[in-house]
Amino acid sequence: TRTLCNDITSGISAFGTTEVSVKLFPNPAADVANLDITLSGQADVNVQLVDITGRSLWTKSVALTGGSNRVTIPTDALVKGVYFVKISNAYGQSAYKLSKE
């Protein structure tokens, strides 16, 4: 069975008092992965793609608004395998597993 979408909801601990819902898709990814982040308020976050050794492969700072936000992560240059997408700010971080086809 293939997982088409990771729909993971984080509680208030992820970004302070802002409630967060995160979807990472498609998963596994081919050329790009989309990170949909829905917030109850605003947040400045860093989005990072790391390999299984923790080496950073891609980073982007994003000012998120209340409501729906999308961050597109390039995956076309990655080799087939397992990666992690980390979302972090001053209140903590969350990590999501991403597979590359």
Side-chain angles (χ1 to χ4, degrees):
T1 319
R2 292 177 65 179
T3 302
L4 298 177
C5 179
N6 282 342
D7 185 357
I8 303 168
T9 303
S10 299
I12 59 172
S13 62
F15 298 114
T17 58
T18 301
E19 292 190 33
V20 181
S21 173
V22 176
K23 291 182 183 179
L24 179 60
F25 66 96
N27 198 359
D31 295 327
V32 296
N34 295 302
L35 184 65
D36 281 358
I37 305 170
T38 304
L39 302 172
S40 62
Q42 299 177 343
D44 293 327
V45 300
N46 290 313
V47 179
Q48 184 178 32
L49 178 68
V50 298
D51 65 14
I52 59 170
T53 67
R55 181 174 52 124
S56 179
L57 304 172
W58 179 87
T59 303
K60 184 172 186 174
S61 295
V62 184
L64 302 174
T65 60
S68 298
N69 300 267
R70 176 168 288 176
V71 179
T72 301
I73 303 166
T75 59
D76 55 335
L78 301 176
V79 297
K80 183 177 178 180
V82 175
Y83 299 87
F84 295 93
V85 176
K86 292 183 178 182
I87 307 168
S88 61
N89 72 358
Y91 297 103
Q93 79 174 12
S94 298
Y96 305 94
K97 183 179 172 183
L98 175 66
S99 298
K100 164 68 175 172
E101 304 185 310

